[in-house]
Amino acid sequence: MTFLIRQISFTADGREIVRPTSIEKPQIAIGRDAACDIHLADLAVLPDHARVTRLNDRSLGVKATGTLGFTVDGRSVDRAEIDLAEGAELRLGGHRITVSRGEAGEAVLSVLRVDALSEASEDKEEARVFSLRGLLPGKRMSAWGMAIAILIGFLAVPVISYATRPAEDVRNIHDVKQDLVKGDGAWTPGPLSKAHHALEGKCETCHQKAFVSVRDSACKTCHQDIHDHAPPARIAGAREAPGVGGAILASVAHAFGKPPEGACVDCHREHEGAGPIPATPQAFCTDCHGSLNSRLKDTKLGNAADFGTAHPEFRPTIMADAPSLAYPVPHFERVSLADRPSEDSGLKFPHDLHLSKTGGVARMAGSMKAQTGFGDALACKDCHKPTADGVRFLPVQMERDCQMCHSLAFETLGGTVRTLRHGEPDQVVADLTAYYRSTGPARPLQLGGMARRRPGDYAQGQVYHAYSGAAATRAGSADAAIRAVFSKGGACYDCHSVVPPDGGKGWRIAPVRQPMRYMMNGWFDHAAHRTERCESCHAAPRSSKASDLMLPNLASCRTCHGGESSHADVPSGCALCHSYHADDGAPWLPARRLAPAARAQIGALARDRQARPDG
C-alpha cells in the first residue's frame, strides 16, 4: 500500500513549495509527535491524533486515536471512510489535508497549514508554555553574567585569598582540612592518594608557588633519601630528542611553569583518587629504554620496549668466583640465563633425590607424616619456608629444616642426647676428642654397630654413625673419628665442601651462600604467585646438583605475562617488576659496587659467619 504525502508551504513572495514523500505501509499516523508519518507542529493537534488505513484500492479509513476528533468536509467526526475517486478534505487544528487518488492509484495526502488560529497568538501561546522567554534575561546577557561569575568565584576569590593568607600556618590538627586559600578547592582534580593523605588541606606543602607546577625541591623536603634513576648526565643522554612538535609543546609548558623533563611530576601523578599512586605507564620507560643503545653506545643494558615482545633475557646476579676462606666476600656478575649459568653455593645437595616420589627419602617422609606433616614424599615447602611477607624464602637452616631427617646425635647420657655442633667444625673436633678421652680408644661412638644411612631410618634425637660403616670400623681413636667425619662418606663431607688441615689450621668448611634474591634490577613477589606450583617455574625435580641455577627464564614468565596493552593473562607494564629509583639495599648489592666502608662491613660479616655453613 502506497501513500504519497505532499507537504505544501509558501515562500515570502507567495510561491508554492511541495515536498513529496512516498511511504509504503498499510497505515500511517498523523499527530504532533515528530515520530508520526505526518508531523503537524500544532498545539491543537494531539501527539498521536489519528490513523489513516488503506481499506482497499479505492478507499481509506481515518480514525481518531484520542479524545479530539477531526473534520471531514466541514463535519466533525472521530472516524470516516473516504472514497479516493471522490476525495475529501480533513481539518486537524490549523492544518488542511486534501485526500485524492494519484495517477498510479496511490493515496495522495496534501498537507497545508491554513492557520485557523492567528500565527501571532499561537506563537505567543507556544512561547508561554514551552520557554522562559520574558522571565529571564536574554541569552547574551546570561552568558556574559555566568562568565563573569565564574571568573570571580573560581579565579579572583582564590587569587585574592592566596595573596592575603597568613604567613604562618596557624591551623591545629583538628582543622587542617580547612584550606587557607578560599575557593581553590574548585581547582582540585581529585583527592590525594593514600601515601599523601596526610597533606589534604595543606596545598602549600607541595604547591609552593602560585601558578607554578610542583618542583622537585618540594618533593625532597620529605623524600630526602630518594635516589636518582641514574646519573643526571646519563639520563639526559638517554632521552630521545623531541621533534619540532615536541619542542613547541615543551616551550609552551615551560612558559606556564612546568618543570623540565625528568622532574618528579613526570612520573608521580597525584590527585587521581584516594588509593595507591597509579603505576607509571610503560611508555614513560620505553621512551628511553626502547632504543637505549642507539643513544648510549656504551650501555650494557639491552633494549626493552614491551615485556611480551621486546625484552632481553633475564640476567641474575650470581657469584662469578665462589667465596673462599681467604676471601669470604665473593665476586658477583650479571649473567644471562640464555648462557645456562651455574653457581657454586658451597653445598652438595641433589634436589631430584629429595623430591623423588620413590626411594628411601620418599619412604622416610611417609613414615614421618604424623610428626612433621610430610606427604607421601618430600615437597618444596617441607624445606623452604617463606618470609613473613611471603615475598621471598628464608635460607635453609640445618636445625630447622634438615635435622628432622639428618640427625647429628652421637651419644645418649641418661636420656640426654649429645649432638655434633653444626656449623662449628672446631667444636666438632673438640667434642670428639673429649668423647674418646673419656671413653678410651677401645670404645667407639655408641652406635650399636649400625652404619649411618642418609637419611635412613634415623630422625632427630636418634643416635647413628657420624661417618660411613667402613670408616667406623677403623675409628678406634679420636683422630680417626675426626677424619672420618670430615672425609668422604662423613656427616660433614656429604653436604659441604671440606678443607683439610693446612698450615696449622684445622678442618674447615667452605662458606655457604644461599641468596634470597637474584634479580637485583627487578622485583618478584612469591606471594602473588602462591596459586602456582613451585615446579611450574623451578625445575627442581630434574636437578641433580646444588650448583644448578633453577630460575625461570623469560619464556617461562611469558606463558602468563605480556606487555601492558597485550591480551595476556597478566598484562604487565615495566613498573610491575622494576623500580625507577636506585636503591642501596645493602648487603645484597655486589661488593664491587659498594663503598669501601660497606664492603668492609660485608667482609666482617662474612668472616664472622665463615664457620657456619648454613648461613
Side-chain angles (χ1 to χ4, degrees):
M1 299 292 183
T2 302
F3 290 91
L4 179 60
I5 312 298
R6 301 172 72 246
Q7 294 281 355
I8 303 173
S9 59
F10 294 92
T11 63
D13 58 358
R15 289 184 299 106
E16 184 181 85
I17 300 175
V18 179
R19 298 182 179 87
T21 303
S22 181
I23 299 177
E24 194 74 31
K25 54 171 38 176
Q27 184 184 77
I28 60 174
I30 303 174
R32 194 173 71 243
D33 194 326
C36 292
D37 299 298
I38 299 179
H39 170 55
L40 305 179
D42 190 335
L43 294 177
V45 177
L46 296 176
D48 186 3
H49 198 106
R51 298 295 174 91
V52 180
T53 305
R54 187 73 179 262
L55 301 177
N56 49 52
D57 292 341
R58 297 193 311 168
S59 61
L60 295 179
V62 183
K63 180 181 179 181
T65 56
T67 57
L68 297 179
F70 52 91
T71 63
V72 178
D73 296 333
R75 294 180 295 107
S76 296
V77 296
D78 58 7
R79 66 177 61 202
E81 182 175 336
I82 301 172
D83 189 332
L84 292 177
E86 296 180 1
E89 182 180 275
L90 306 178
R91 292 291 296 266
L92 288 87
H95 290 78
R96 182 178 68 196
I97 302 176
T98 303
V99 181
S100 62
R101 183 187 183 112
E103 295 179 358
E106 71 274 17
V108 179
L109 286 80
S110 300
V111 182
L112 175 65
R113 182 180 178 88
V114 294
D115 295 326
L117 300 175
S118 71
E119 187 172 344
S121 62
E122 186 168 334
D123 287 346
K124 183 176 180 180
E125 180 184 6
E126 183 177 350
R128 181 177 60 80
V129 174
F130 292 105
S131 82
L132 298 176
R133 184 186 303 174
L135 301 179
L136 291 176
K139 294 180 181 180
R140 186 182 301 275
M141 184 177 295
S142 298
W144 278 107
M146 292 298 294
I148 294 173
I150 290 173
L151 289 175
I152 293 174
F154 300 119
L155 183 61
V157 170
V159 170
I160 295 172
S161 178
Y162 176 82
T164 59
R165 77 191 192 286
E168 299 290 335
D169 188 351
V170 295
R171 295 173 295 179
N172 58 44
I173 192 173
H174 300 294
D175 60 7
V176 292
K177 291 186 177 180
Q178 181 180 1
D179 290 343
L180 287 174
V181 180
K182 305 300 182 184
D184 67 337
W187 294 90
T188 302
L192 292 174
S193 64
K194 290 181 179 179
H196 294 136
H197 179 66
L199 299 177
E200 290 281 5
K202 297 182 178 181
C203 306
E204 297 85 357
T205 303
C206 301
H207 301 275
Q208 297 176 343
K209 293 184 178 181
F211 304 106
V212 175
S213 179
V214 177
R215 299 300 185 181
D216 289 357
S217 57
C219 301
K220 291 180 179 179
T221 302
C222 298
H223 302 279
Q224 299 175 357
D225 298 328
I226 208 68
H227 296 268
D228 288 330
H229 182 58
R234 297 285 287 178
I235 295 178
R239 289 197 183 97
E240 188 172 1
V244 176
I248 295 174
L249 290 176
S251 62
V252 172
H254 180 70
F256 281 89
K258 188 178 185 300
E261 287 185 338
C264 301
V265 293
D266 282 354
C267 176
H268 299 287
R269 312 285 177 82
E270 259 299 353
H271 294 287
E272 295 193 8
I277 295 179
T280 306
Q282 177 174 293
F284 179 84
C285 305
T286 59
D287 283 346
C288 292
H289 286 271
S291 54
L292 188 65
N293 61 1
S294 65
R295 292 178 294 280
L296 296 181
K297 302 297 184 181
D298 61 338
T299 183
K300 295 182 180 179
L301 299 176
N303 292 339
D306 183 271
F307 183 79
T309 59
H311 192 284
E313 182 58 84
F314 300 145
R315 297 174 62 202
T317 301
I318 66 173
M319 289 187 299
D321 299 316
S324 64
L325 295 171
Y327 185 68
V329 179
H331 171 65
F332 294 91
E333 285 187 2
R334 293 185 67 199
V335 181
S336 173
L337 289 178
D339 298 332
R340 299 183 179 276
S342 61
E343 182 180 53
D344 184 4
S345 63
L347 282 175
K348 304 171 186 174
F349 185 85
H351 277 88
D352 57 351
L353 177 66
H354 287 76
L355 293 176
S356 174
K357 303 300 181 183
T358 60
V361 177
R363 289 197 299 273
M364 184 171 185
S367 68
M368 299 174 66
K369 285 183 179 181
Q371 64 184 100
T372 62
F374 291 160
D376 294 330
L378 286 182
C380 302
K381 65 179 180 62
D382 295 329
C383 302
H384 295 281
K385 302 298 188 293
T387 55
D389 56 8
V391 173
R392 305 175 189 169
F393 282 85
L394 298 168
V396 175
Q397 292 183 353
M398 170 68 180
E399 294 78 7
R400 184 190 64 209
D401 306 311
C402 308
Q403 192 166 281
M404 63 184 71
C405 296
H406 297 275
S407 172
L408 295 182
F410 68 91
E411 183 185 26
T412 56
L413 292 175
T416 299
V417 178
R418 295 182 63 191
T419 63
L420 300 177
R421 305 288 186 89
H422 182 260
E424 302 180 34
D426 292 339
Q427 190 63 50
V428 170
V429 172
D431 287 346
L432 290 179
T433 301
Y435 173 80
Y436 275 93
R437 185 179 298 165
S438 63
T439 60
R443 181 186 175 191
L445 301 180
Q446 296 179 9
L447 304 173
M450 182 178 292
R452 172 178 178 267
R453 300 181 223 166
R454 293 173 291 123
D457 298 327
Y458 300 101
Q460 185 174 1
Q462 298 189 24
V463 176
Y464 71 103
H465 274 295
Y467 37 82
S468 68
T473 60
R474 301 191 300 270
S477 67
D479 289 342
I482 292 169
R483 260 193 320 275
V485 168
F486 289 104
S487 301
K488 186 176 182 179
C492 300
Y493 188 93
D494 286 342
C495 298
H496 296 281
S497 297
V498 178
V499 180
D502 179 47
K505 296 183 178 180
W507 294 94
R508 289 164 295 167
I509 304 296
V512 171
R513 179 179 182 266
Q514 297 186 67
M516 295 174 63
R517 180 177 179 182
Y518 281 98
M519 302 298 184
M520 303 308 180
N521 291 343
W523 188 255
F524 184 84
D525 186 355
H526 280 90
H529 296 77
R530 58 183 174 271
T531 57
E532 292 291 326
R533 298 173 62 249
C534 301
E535 295 84 350
S536 299
C537 303
H538 303 283
R542 301 190 300 275
S543 173
S544 60
K545 298 179 296 183
S547 60
D548 290 339
L549 203 62
M550 295 177 290
L551 296 176
N553 59 13
L554 181 65
S556 175
C557 295
R558 279 177 172 170
T559 57
C560 297
H561 293 266
E564 182 178 75
S565 58
S566 70
H567 297 288
D569 293 340
V570 187
S572 307
C574 304
L576 183 68
C577 302
H578 296 282
S579 175
Y580 179 85
H581 295 285
D583 182 10
D584 280 348
W588 60 260
L589 272 182
R592 57 185 171 82
R593 293 175 56 191
L594 297 178
R599 192 180 300 114
Q601 181 181 3
I602 292 180
L605 178 64
R607 286 190 292 275
D608 181 62
R609 296 170 57 183
Q610 64 178 330
R612 295 183 57 82
D614 61 331

